[in-house]
C-alpha cells in the first residue's frame, strides 16, 4: 500500500505521513476483525476443553495478547514512517526535482522546503470580527475543482453568533440542524440602529506588485494568510472568508471576501514576485494602507545564495472605480491621476499631512517616458559616470498637492514661479515694495528677492503649518543660498515680513476704498502685488470671494502705488475649444478681469506658460495702473536682458539667478494666446475686433495693381494695394524714444548727423500712435507711402477719429473692461488701415499728386 501511495504522489507532507499511518493501522484492524475471538477469558474447565477441541479443528483461529497487539501497532507505525522516509529521499525527491525543472526551471532548494507544514497541521487562522463591527447575514458557498497543480486547498470563514446558533461551523454535528431563517439581532443594536457601513456602487482599487521577495515566505501558505489577515485587521476592514490554493510545484494564491469588497494575492516564489489586489467600497482612503502592505509583504531574502537584484521593490497604483454619487472630484482629477493612479517605476510618499485648512501631499516620482529608474540608480553610484556627476538631472521629480490638486513640481518650479513674478517686476521701473498673497512653498518669495531694487516683501499666507512643512520637505523651493549676502532660507532674509493671516481680511483692514466707510491707511502702498493663491477654477466659496467683485478686489486697487502692477495666476489656460467663461469653470477668472477693468486699471493682459510641469499651459493675468508701465511690457529682448544685468542680485557663482526667464522668454509673453482671443469673442460676440478678423475687414474689396492714375472709381469702403501696405517698418516705443533722445544726448561728432536724419525721416513719414502713452511709430516701406501723404500734412488713407467727452470715474464707466482687456484687439495687426481711403477717389485721379517725394 505504501509503494502504491508513493507512486501516486510526487511529494510527501505531514498529512501524507498521517495517511500512511492511518491506512496501515486500518489494515491491521481489518485483519483482526476477520479472525475469531482472539482473547481467551477465564472459563470453566469444560469450556476450555471445548475451545481446545475447536482449536484442533480449525487452523484459522489465532490468539494474541494485549502486549502483542501494542507492539504490533507501534512496529507498524515505525516501519511505515521509516519506509516512507527512505522512499521520499531515494525515489520521490529526484523525480520531483526533475518535474520542477521541467515546468519552472531550476528552483533553489529553499523554494521546496516544507517549513510551513508543521503549522498546517493546526490549520489556517479564521477571520475575526473587528471591534465595533457588525456583520450582516451572509451565506458561504464554495465549489472546489480537482487540479493536479494544487498541493493544498484551504477555506476559512467568519462565523457570527447567529451562525454558531445555526451550526454554520458545525454542520457535521449530529445535534446541529441549520435553520432556514436568520434573526436580525446580528446586525441591529439595542436602539434599533445598525453598525453596517454604507456601500455605494463605487470604491477604491489598490494594485500592488512586488519583486525581490523572500522565496520561502512566498511559498508559505500559512505565513501569507497570516499577513493577509494582519493587513485586513490593521486597515479596519472585515474579512468574511478566504480561500487559498497551494500550487504545485510552488506558489500560493489566496482570495478573500471582505465586507467592504475583496482582497487577493498570487505569488511566484522562484521569481520572488507577489501581486496583490485590494478593492473596498468604504469611504476610508486606501493610501495609508500602502506602507502597511510593504511592511507585511516586502520580506527580503535571508539566504545569501538566493539570487536577487537588490532589496524588495514595490510598484503600486490607486484608482477610483464605479460611479460615485459625490460631485467633488478634485482629488480624482489631479493626484489620483498621477502619480497615485499610475504604476510608475519609482513612487515614494514624502509627507502626507492635514493642516487646519487643507491636506498636503508630497511625492517623489520618476516621470514615465522622461526619467529612467536605471539611470537614477546609476546616478547614486560614485563611479565617475555622467549620471553620477550630475545626479540632479536624474533625481525623481518632487510634486506638491494641496487637497489633491497639483500646485507645483520641482521640474517646473523655475518656469512657473519665474513666469509669475519676473514679467511684472521687470515691467515696473523701480519695484521697491512687493506683496505676496499665498505662496506658502516660498518659491514666489525667492523670485522676488532676486531683485536689487526690492526693499520690503510682505508675504501673507493663512496656513502656517503648510509653510513649515514646505521649509522641511521643500527646502529648495525657498533656497536663497545662491544669492550673495543672503540667508540660506528665503524666509530668513531681512527684507521679508511674513504674516500667517487671512490675506483677504489683511488687505481689507489696511486699505480703504470708496465702498468701505473708513479712511485709515496703516500700510504703505505696494509697487507690485502677486497673487499666488487658490485657482479660480476650484469650486469653493472662498474662491468666489477671492476673485469676484467685492471689498477684497477693491482693496487691491488702493494697495497699489500710482504706477503699480498686479499679477495673478488664474489656472489652466483657455483653448479654442473652451466655452465662454460664464458657462464654464472659468467664470471666476472672467469675473476677476471684469472687476479689475471696472476699478480703472488702464490695461489688463493675459499670457501663458507651458513649461510649468502641468498637463496644460498655465495662464496669468497682469493689470497696469498706468500706460507707461504697460509700455515696458513691450520692451525688446535686448532691453530686458539689460534690465536683468542691472537689477539682478549677484550670485555666488557669478551667473544669472534666473534659470528660465530672459529677454526672449519675455517676448513670448507680449501677446495673448489664440485661445484667449476665441473665448473672449465667444463672450463678446458683437465686439468690434471680434467681427473683423486680424485687423482686416473681409467685407471690403481689395484693388491690387495700382499705378500712377486710378482706372476706376475707388470707393471709401475698400482697400487700395493691401499687399503693398503690409510690409511696414515698426518702431517700438523704446526705440522711438531712444531715437528722439539721440540729438540731445549724443554729441554730433559721435553720430555724424545720422540721428538727426533718422529722426526727421521718422517724423516726416511715420504714423504715430499712443497705445501705451509712449509713442509707437509705423512707417510704410513701399510706394503706398507716397500715395497716402497729401498737402499740409494731411492723409488720404487711414481712419477718422471722433473724440467725445465722457466720465472718468472708473466705477461709472460702462463696458470699460473692453477697453482695458481685449485680447482680440491685441492680437490683430493694425497696419492695414493705411490702405483704406478716407474718401471716394474718382477715376483718373493722380495718386502721387501734391507729394513732395515725387516732385
Amino acid at each position: 500500500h505504501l509503494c502504491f501511495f508513493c507512486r501516486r504522489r510526487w511529494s510527501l507532507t505531514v498529512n501524507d505521513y498521517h495517511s500512511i499511518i492511518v491506512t496501515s493501522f486500518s489494515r491491521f484492524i481489518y485483519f483482526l476483525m476477520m479472525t475469531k475471538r482472539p482473547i481467551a477469558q477465564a472459563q470453566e474447565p469444560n469450556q476450555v476443553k471445548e475451545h481446545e477441541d475447536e482449536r484442533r479443528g480449525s487452523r484459522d483461529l489465532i490468539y494474541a495478547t494485549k502486549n502483542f497487539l501494542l507492539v504490533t501497532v507501534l512496529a507498524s507505525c515505525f516501519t511505515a514512517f521509516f519506509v516512507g522516509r527512505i522512499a521520499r529521499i531515494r525515489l520521490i525527491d529526484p523525480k520531483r526535482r526533475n518535474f520542477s525543472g521541467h515546468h519552472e526551471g531550476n528552483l533553489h532548494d529553499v523554494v521546496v522546503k516544507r517549513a510551513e507544514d508543521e503549522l498546517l497541521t493546526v490549520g489556517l487562522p479564521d477571520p475575526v470580527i473587528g471591534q465595533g463591527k457588525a456583520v450582516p447575514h451572509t451565506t458561504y458557498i464554495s465549489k472546489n475543482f480537482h487540479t493536479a497543480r494544487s498541493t493544498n486547498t484551504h477555506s476559512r470563514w467568519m462565523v457570527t453568533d447567529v451562525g454558531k446558533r445555526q451550526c454554520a461551523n458545525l454542520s457535521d454535528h449530529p445535534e446541529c440542524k441549520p435553520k432556514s431563517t436568520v434573526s436580525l439581532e446580528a446586525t441591529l443594536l439595542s436602539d434599533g440602529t445598525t453598525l453596517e457601513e454604507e456601500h455605494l456602487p463605487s470604491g477604491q482599487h489598490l494594485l500592488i506588485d512586488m519583486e525581490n521577495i523572500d522565496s520561502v515566505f512566498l511559498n508559505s501558505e500559512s505565513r501569507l494568510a497570516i499577513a493577509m489577515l494582519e493587513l485586513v485587521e490593521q486597515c479596519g476592514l472585515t474579512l468574511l472568508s478566504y480561500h487559498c490554493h497551494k500550487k504545485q510545484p510552488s506558489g500560493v494564491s489566496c482570495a478573500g471576501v471582505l465586507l467592504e469588497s475583496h482582497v487577493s494575492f498570487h505569488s511566484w516564489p522562484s521569481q520572488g514576485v507577489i501581486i496583490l489586489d485590494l478593492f473596498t467600497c468604504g469611504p476610508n482612503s486606501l493610501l495609508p494602507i500602502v506602507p502597511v502592505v510593504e511592511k507585511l509583504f516586502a520580506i527580503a531574502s535571508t539566504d545569501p545564495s538566493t539570487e536577487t537584484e537588490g532589496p524588495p521593490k514595490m510598484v503600486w497604483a490607486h484608482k477610483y472605480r464605479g460611479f460615485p454619487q459625490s460631485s467633488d472630484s478634485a482629488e480624482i482629477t489631479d493626484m489620483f491621476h498621477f502619480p497615485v493612479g499610475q504604476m510608475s517605476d519609482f513612487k515614494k510618499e514624502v509627507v502626507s499631512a492635514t493642516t487646519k485648512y487643507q491636506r498636503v501631499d508630497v511625492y517623489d516620482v520618476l516621470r514615465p517616458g522622461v526619467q529612467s529608474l536605471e539611470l537614477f540608480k546609476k546616478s547614486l553610484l560614485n563611479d565617475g559616470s555622467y549620471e553620477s556627476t550630475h545626479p540632479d538631472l536624474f533625481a525623481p521629480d518632487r510634486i506638491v498637492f494641496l487637497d489633491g490638486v497639483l500646485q507645483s513640481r520641482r521640474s517646473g518650479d523655475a518656469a512657473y514661479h519665474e513666469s509669475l513674478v519676473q514679467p511684472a517686476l521687470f515691467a515696473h521701473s523701480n519695484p521697491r515694495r512687493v506683496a505676496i498673497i499665498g505662496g506658502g512653498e516660498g518659491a514666489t518669495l525667492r523670485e522676488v528677492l532676486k531683485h536689487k531694487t526690492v526693499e520690503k516683501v510682505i508675504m501673507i499666507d493663512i496656513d502656517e503649518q503648510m509653510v513649515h512643512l514646505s521649509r522641511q520637505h521643500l527646502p529648495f523651493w525657498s533656497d536663497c543660498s545662491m544669492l550673495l549676502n543672503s540667508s540660506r532660507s528665503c524666509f530668513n532674509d531681512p527684507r521679508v515680513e511674513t504674516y500667517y493671516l487671512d490675506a483677504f481680511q489683511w488687505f481689507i483692514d489696511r486699505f480703504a476704498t470708496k465702498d468701505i466707510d473708513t479712511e485709515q491707511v496703516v500700510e504703505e502702498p505696494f509697487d507690485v502685488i502677486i497673487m499666488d493663491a487658490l485657482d479660480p477654477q476650484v469650486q469653493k466659496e472662498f474662491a468666489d470671494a477671492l476673485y469676484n467683485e467685492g471689498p477684497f478686489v477693491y482693496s487691491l486697487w488702493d494697495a497699489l502705488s500710482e504706477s503699480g502692477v498686479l499679477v495673478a495666476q488664474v489656472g489652466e489656460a483657455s483653448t479654442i475649444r473652451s466655452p465662454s467663461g460664464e458657462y464654464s469653470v472659468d467664470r471666476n477668472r472672467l469675473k476677476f478681469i471684469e472687476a479689475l477693468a471696472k476699478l480703472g486699471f488702464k490695461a489688463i493682459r493675459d499670457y501663458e506658460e507651458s513649461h510649468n510641469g502641468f498637463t496644460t499651459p498655465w495662464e496669468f493675468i497682469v493689470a497696469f495702473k498706468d500706460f507707461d508701465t504697460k509700455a515696458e511690457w513691450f520692451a525688446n529682448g535686448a532691453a530686458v536682458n539689460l534690465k536683468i544685468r542691472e537689477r539682478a542680485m549677484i550670485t555666488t557663482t557669478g551667473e544669472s539667478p534666473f534659470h528660465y526667464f530672459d529677454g526672449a522668454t519675455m517676448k513670448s509673453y507680449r501677446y495673448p494666446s489664440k485661445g484667449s482671443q476665441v473665448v473672449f469673442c465667444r463672450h463678446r460676440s458683437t465686439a468690434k475686433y471680434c467681427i473683423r478678423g486680424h485687423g482686416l475687414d473681409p467685407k471690403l474689396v481689395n484693388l491690387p495693381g495700382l499705378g500712377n492714375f486710378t482706372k476706376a472709381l475707388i470707393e471709401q469702403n475698400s482697400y487700395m494695394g493691401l499687399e503693398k501696405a503690409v510690409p511696414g517698418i515698426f518702431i517700438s516705443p523704446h526705440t522711438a524714444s531712444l531715437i528722439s533722445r539721440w540729438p540731445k544726448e549724443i554729441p554730433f561728432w559721435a553720430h555724424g548727423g545720422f540721428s538727426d536724419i533718422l529722426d526727421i525721416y521718422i517724423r516726416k513719414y511715420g504714423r504715430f500712435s499712443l497705445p501705451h502713452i509712449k509713442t509707437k511709430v509705423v512707417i510704410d516701406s513701399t510706394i503706398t507711402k507716397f500715395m497716402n501723404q497729401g498737402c499740409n500734412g494731411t492723409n488720404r488713407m487711414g481712419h477718422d477719429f471722433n473724440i467725445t467727452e465722457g466720465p472718468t470715474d472708473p466705477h461709472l464707466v460702462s463696458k470699460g473692461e473692453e477697453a482695458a482687456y481685449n485680447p482680440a484687439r491685441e492680437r490683430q495687426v493694425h497696419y492695414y488701415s493705411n490702405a483704406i481711403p478716407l474718401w471716394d477717389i474718382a477715376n483718373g485721379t493722380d495718386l502721387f499728386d501734391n507729394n513732395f517725394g515725387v516732385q
Side-chain angles (χ1 to χ4, degrees), residues 446-458:
R446 177 197 67 206
E447 294 303 318
V448 174
L449 294 175
K450 292 179 180 179
H451 287 254
K452 295 178 182 177
T453 60
V454 172
E455 300 172 0
K456 176 69 67 177
V457 185
I458 294 180

Side-chain angles (χ1 to χ4, degrees), residues 665-734:
T665 304
M666 182 63 205
K667 187 177 180 180
S668 66
Y669 300 150
R670 288 181 180 176
Y671 297 99
S673 68
K674 182 66 175 180
S676 178
Q677 174 189 343
V678 171
V679 172
F680 173 81
C681 290
R682 287 190 177 127
H683 175 58
R684 296 186 177 277
S685 58
T686 59
K688 176 181 178 181
Y689 293 96
C690 293
I691 299 175
R692 297 172 55 190
H694 304 288
L696 176 65
D697 190 345
K699 297 180 181 179
L700 300 185
V701 178
N702 178 41
L703 302 175
L706 296 176
N708 292 348
F709 298 90
T710 60
K711 300 179 180 179
L713 172 65
I714 299 178
E715 298 181 355
Q716 180 179 353
N717 293 325
S718 61
Y719 287 119
M720 292 179 55
L722 186 59
E723 67 281 356
K724 295 183 178 180
V726 173
I729 300 173
F730 172 77
I731 302 177
S732 67
H734 271 88

Side-chain angles (χ1 to χ4, degrees), residues 83 88 245 285 296 307 391 496 544 630 659 675 744 794 814:
V83 174
R88 173 189 175 91
H245 275 276
S285 174
L296 293 174
E307 296 182 2
V496 177
D544 296 338
K630 180 191 174 184
H659 299 283
K744 302 176 182 178
T794 60
S814 62

Side-chain angles (χ1 to χ4, degrees), residues 151-420:
T151 303
N152 296 317
T153 300
H154 293 89
S155 297
R156 306 305 304 163
W157 56 89
M158 175 187 295
V159 181
T160 63
D161 293 338
V162 174
K164 291 178 180 178
R165 290 197 295 271
Q166 297 179 11
C167 305
N169 62 336
L170 300 172
S171 58
D172 57 345
H173 196 279
E175 298 180 359
C176 184
K177 296 180 180 180
K179 302 176 182 179
S180 58
T181 60
V182 181
S183 173
L184 294 178
E185 59 181 294
T187 57
L188 296 180
L189 302 179
S190 59
D191 59 354
T193 61
T194 179
L195 285 175
E196 184 181 356
E197 297 179 357
E198 183 181 17
H199 300 288
L200 301 175
S202 64
Q204 304 172 60
H205 203 170
L206 185 62
L207 308 172
I208 299 180
D209 300 346
M210 294 183 180
E211 64 176 349
N212 301 333
I213 309 300
D214 182 43
S215 57
V216 176
F217 171 73
L218 295 181
N219 203 42
S220 173
E221 183 182 6
S222 59
R223 293 175 64 183
L224 289 170
I226 292 173
M228 181 178 67
L229 266 64
E230 182 71 17
L231 170 66
V232 171
E233 180 181 356
Q234 292 193 26
C235 298
L237 304 174
T238 303
L239 184 63
L240 300 178
S241 65
Y242 68 95
H243 186 80
C244 292
H245 275 276
K246 181 71 174 295
K247 295 181 291 186
Q248 182 67 264
S250 64
V252 178
S253 294
C254 284
V257 178
L258 299 173
L259 176 63
E260 297 79 6
S261 188
H262 73 264
V263 59
S264 65
F265 63 80
H266 310 276
S267 70
W268 290 264
S270 59
Q271 289 84 17
V273 173
I274 183 171
I275 293 178
L276 297 100
D277 172 14
L278 176 61
F279 181 81
T280 67
C281 299
N284 298 329
S285 174
L286 293 183
L287 288 181
I289 295 179
V290 175
V292 178
V293 175
E294 185 174 17
K295 178 181 178 182
L296 293 174
F297 289 88
I299 307 300
S301 176
T302 57
D303 188 349
S305 62
T306 303
E307 296 182 2
T308 60
E309 297 182 1
K313 174 187 174 183
M314 182 172 71
V315 178
W316 60 274
H318 178 287
K319 297 180 180 296
Y320 277 97
R321 301 283 301 279
F323 304 93
Q325 297 182 358
S326 174
S327 60
D328 185 9
S329 59
E331 292 182 347
I332 302 177
T333 56
D334 277 348
M335 188 175 79
F336 283 85
H337 278 177
F338 180 83
V340 172
Q342 292 190 20
M343 301 284 284
S344 53
D345 289 338
F346 180 89
K347 176 170 49 188
K348 180 181 180 182
E349 182 186 88
V350 178
V351 64
S352 180
T354 301
T355 70
K356 184 179 178 180
Y357 303 97
Q358 57 197 340
R359 195 185 78 207
V360 182
D361 294 282
V362 180
Y363 280 88
D364 279 346
V365 60
L366 292 175
R367 291 170 289 161
V370 178
Q371 293 179 292
S372 165
L373 180 60
E374 180 182 357
L375 296 180
F376 168 56
K377 291 180 178 180
K378 196 172 182 180
S379 69
L380 302 178
L381 304 175
N382 190 20
D383 57 359
S385 63
Y386 180 83
E387 292 82 2
S388 63
T389 55
H390 300 81
D392 291 344
L393 301 179
F394 303 94
D397 197 10
R398 182 157 293 187
I399 312 178
V400 184
F401 298 92
L402 298 183
D403 288 333
V405 178
L406 175 61
Q407 296 297 310
S408 184
R409 61 194 309 165
R410 177 156 51 190
S411 60
D413 163 43
Y416 173 81
H417 291 100
E418 290 184 17
S419 60
L420 169 65

Side-chain angles (χ1 to χ4, degrees), residues 561-627:
S561 61
E562 293 300 323
S563 59
V565 180
L566 171 68
V567 63
Q569 70 87 14
V570 289
E572 294 184 7
S574 301
T575 69
I576 59 174
R577 301 292 300 171
S578 300
S580 180
E582 69 268 35
Y583 300 110
S584 71
V585 294
D586 294 326
R587 56 182 175 272
N588 279 335
R589 177 164 61 197
L590 176 62
K591 293 178 180 178
F592 183 58
I593 295 172
E594 292 176 346
L596 295 179
K598 291 179 181 179
L599 279 172
F601 282 94
K602 300 299 187 297
I604 304 171
R605 304 188 71 87
D606 58 55
Y607 62 99
E608 298 178 6
E609 177 54 59
S610 59
H611 298 86
N612 302 315
F614 302 135
T615 55
T616 61
W618 215 248
E619 186 168 324
F620 305 89
I621 292 291
V622 60
F624 304 96
K625 235 183 171 183
D626 70 347
F627 282 109

